[in-house]
Amino acid sequence: MSTPMVGWKDLPMAAVPFLSAKEYPTGEWAVFQPKIDESKCVKCGLCWMYCPDSVYRWDGEGVPVPDLDHCKGCGICAVECPTKAIEMVRI
Amino acid sequence: MVAKAVWRPDIKELARIEGQKRPVESGHRLCAGCGAGIIIRQIAMAARKPLVWINATGCVEVATTIFPYTSWNVPWAHNAFENAAAVGSGVEAARKKLARVNRFEGDPDIELDYDVIVLGGDGGTYDIGLQAISGAFERRHKIMYVLYDNEAYMNTGIQRSGGTPFGARTTTTPVGKVIKGKPLFKKPIMDIMVAHGIPYAATVSPAYWNDALVKFRRGFETEGPVFIHAFSTCPLGWGSAPEDTVKIMKLAVETCVFPLYEVVDGEYRLTGPSVSIAKNPDRKKPVEEYLKLQGRFRHMFKPENKWMIEKFQEWVDRQWETLLKRAGY
Ligand SMILES: Cc1ncc(C[n+]2csc(CCOP(=O)(O)OP(=O)(O)O)c2C)c(N)n1
Ligand code: SF4
Ligand code: SF4
Ligand code: SF4
Ligand SMILES: [Mg+2]
């Protein structure tokens, strides 16, 4: 028996992506990823602010925590950290 | 009419809100170090109400919605270059109309008190989408149009646009015997938009995040059309190191290649580091410092092409002088 055909009226009005991009592991692109020396971090939040990939989680109090499953390793956070607390390490 | 009270962004509070709402989720496919990724986050951070986000074609649109994935946790729609501002106009007009006829009153699933943001690249703004933007501004829709300017058609492989600067190497303005990168200068997009008599226009460099957020918020608060010109480093198209993205965003301002200012009801006001450069001209750095970090300008550093750097500098100086006069310096 053949599969019933889906009529055009059953299709969504536009192409609707249905999975969150967080399911997509862009961390696999990285060659280097950030490692924070907590003793040097002054909790300014600039690494969080400048990451193009929304990688850092920061509660506003502690040291920001990068989600390495999504970090592409661009190195912006390491360059912009005012105390040089971030080292890019080869993974 | 532009709102008077100035919002003071608190970076800790912003981080907590972003952590809860995740308006732009990780996992999009913008290149590593893409400046546009910072811009879209900052726009969302500055929101005061729920957003409806209209996006013209281009890198942001393609990279954030590669089927079946989406980075957006705000209502978002992709549109053609030509009609992005027209769709924004319609979404804004619908909000007003539906509220007027109480169409969804008491419906907990429908929120009509939202702000409309339209995002487009330089190709979509300087060139292809210009007429729809002009129409939306003339009709006085309350939309904020943000141009993320990476100075070429990047998503299709670095073709020159009306926003590509003088001298830049692109795939349609190569460096050879006949031409050496783009022979023409950038179209004065801010002047064109300001000429529409809109209540608020501003330039933004995401590196100066406080300045950027205040302007985006002001844009949302303004009762009428708003234009924001955001500087967007593109490591792939500019031949710059991904880690230098924010550094280049700073140098563009420090060299006056991309001065920071706002135009409120026709009045020009410098902001951020551009104010201190206006007051202390020795703080203005030479354009070489900006150009040398980018492969697209590399040929200009050959001795026989020195005139190109001089010509670039002259253009920057002339633009800056005009701006200083307009801002009352
Ligand atoms: C009408 C039309 N012409 C051409 C294209 C192909 N196209 C897709 S993305 C793109 C580049 C857009 O450049 P820009 O607006 O500067 O955004 P960027 O990709 O640089 O972020 C082009 C030309 C299209 N989608 N629609
Ligand atoms: S930029 Fe550096 S000092 Fe600031 S919060 Fe991040 S790691 Fe800490
Ligand atoms: S290296 Fe780049 S992607 Fe990774 S956390 Fe730092 S800024 Fe974000
Ligand atoms: S080509 Fe440029 S603008 Fe497009 S995603 Fe890559 S870095 Fe960003
Ligand atoms: Mg572009």
Side-chain angles (χ1 to χ4, degrees):
Chain A
M1 227 177 70
S2 61
T3 321
M5 292 285 282
V6 178
W8 63 271
K9 285 181 184 163
D10 302 316
L11 295 171
M13 294 273 279
V16 181
F18 52 87
L19 286 181
S20 169
K22 73 179 172 217
E23 307 295 328
Y24 192 86
T26 45
E28 288 176 1
W29 297 7
V31 180
F32 296 88
Q33 285 189 322
K35 189 165 166 267
I36 303 183
D37 178 344
E38 299 197 359
S39 67
K40 286 194 196 160
C41 173
V42 294
K43 295 152 191 153
C44 65
L46 287 180
C47 51
W48 166 79
M49 174 60 79
Y50 291 137
C51 174
D53 288 276
S54 323
V55 160
Y56 281 96
R57 299 300 195 282
W58 187 40
D59 61 7
E61 308 297 332
V63 177
V65 182
D67 158 21
L68 300 181
D69 292 341
H70 293 100
C71 163
K72 296 170 186 166
C74 68
I76 293 176
C77 54
V79 169
E80 297 306 320
C81 171
T83 61
K84 300 278 159 266
I86 303 176
E87 189 196 347
M88 297 299 290
V89 294
R90 208 182 167 98
I91 50 165
Chain B
M1 248 192 355
V2 177
K4 292 284 179 289
V6 177
W7 173 57
R8 288 184 197 284
D10 170 0
I11 193 168
K12 297 179 175 182
E13 188 59 26
L14 293 170
R16 282 191 286 263
I17 296 171
E18 189 192 60
Q20 287 156 13
K21 299 194 172 169
R22 302 289 293 168
V24 189
E25 191 51 89
S26 304
H28 56 65
R29 257 72 73 76
L30 293 166
C31 303
C34 176
I38 311 174
I39 295 170
I40 53 180
R41 284 184 56 221
Q42 290 183 347
I43 294 170
M45 283 175 208
R48 55 169 190 163
K49 291 181 181 181
L51 297 182
V52 175
W53 193 305
I54 307 298
N55 217 316
T57 310
C59 277
V60 168
E61 169 267 316
V62 170
T64 59
T65 56
I66 294 180
F67 192 80
Y69 301 99
T70 176
S71 285
W72 299 97
N73 285 323
V74 300
W76 182 95
H78 164 223
N79 294 273
F81 290 110
E82 297 85 342
N83 68 348
V87 172
S89 304
V91 171
E92 192 256 351
R95 175 179 67 83
K96 282 201 293 208
K97 171 73 180 177
L98 293 173
R100 195 157 62 229
V101 300
N102 296 328
R103 177 73 175 75
F104 292 109
E105 206 174 46
D107 186 333
D109 294 331
I110 305 287
E111 172 62 80
L112 287 179
D113 194 16
Y114 53 77
D115 284 324
V116 181
I117 138 96
V118 184
L119 183 78
D122 50 293
T125 305
Y126 287 82
D127 305 340
I128 321 179
L130 190 61
Q131 61 148 340
I133 304 169
S134 181
F137 285 5
E138 184 264 332
R139 295 187 303 270
R140 288 295 182 269
H141 287 286
K142 190 206 166 318
I143 59 171
M144 177 160 87
Y145 190 100
V146 180
L147 152 64
Y148 69 102
D149 193 355
N150 53 27
E151 306 194 314
Y153 291 82
M154 293 307 178
N155 193 63
T156 37
I158 327 175
Q159 293 83 17
R160 63 81 97 189
S161 77
T164 303
F166 171 78
R169 175 205 295 267
T170 69
T171 51
T172 46
T173 54
V175 177
K177 286 208 183 79
V178 181
I179 56 166
K180 296 184 189 316
K182 191 181 173 194
L184 305 168
F185 288 89
K186 274 172 90 82
K187 193 191 275 191
I189 196 72
M190 278 292 281
D191 295 352
I192 293 168
M193 296 308 173
V194 169
H196 285 75
I198 55 176
Y200 190 66
T203 62
V204 151
S205 169
Y208 300 101
W209 61 269
N210 192 82
D211 182 77
L213 289 180
V214 168
K215 286 168 174 168
F216 285 133
R217 172 59 75 92
R218 217 166 173 187
F220 283 129
E221 288 171 346
T222 300
E223 288 302 325
V226 168
F227 184 75
I228 309 262
H229 184 184
F231 183 90
S232 190
T233 311
C234 168
L236 183 92
W238 296 7
S240 58
E243 67 267 28
D244 285 344
T245 285
V246 172
K247 199 175 178 185
I248 293 170
M249 287 169 168
K250 289 180 188 158
L251 279 165
V253 176
E254 291 166 350
T255 53
C256 298
V257 167
F258 193 86
L260 293 180
Y261 63 100
E262 55 187 5
V263 189
V264 184
D265 291 323
E267 287 208 17
Y268 284 73
R269 199 175 76 83
L270 299 180
T271 69
S274 296
V275 177
S276 53
I277 298 171
K279 290 181 179 156
N280 307 285
D282 352 325
R283 291 205 187 150
K284 180 164 170 258
K285 295 184 175 169
V287 292
E288 281 97 325
E289 292 197 29
Y290 166 75
L291 301 174
K292 74 181 178 205
L293 293 176
Q294 305 172 49
R296 62 177 173 157
F297 298 121
R298 189 173 299 133
H299 54 286
M300 290 165 66
F301 287 87
K302 286 190 177 157
E304 68 271 26
N305 293 335
K306 205 170 145 246
W307 63 273
M308 294 185 76
I309 295 183
E310 286 161 11
K311 197 167 168 178
F312 197 107
Q313 182 72 63
E314 273 167 31
W315 182 82
V316 167
D317 292 347
R318 218 166 38 242
Q319 301 281 314
W320 175 240
E321 286 304 320
T322 307
L323 180 61
L324 284 177
K325 276 198 205 94
R326 287 174 174 166
Y329 286 90

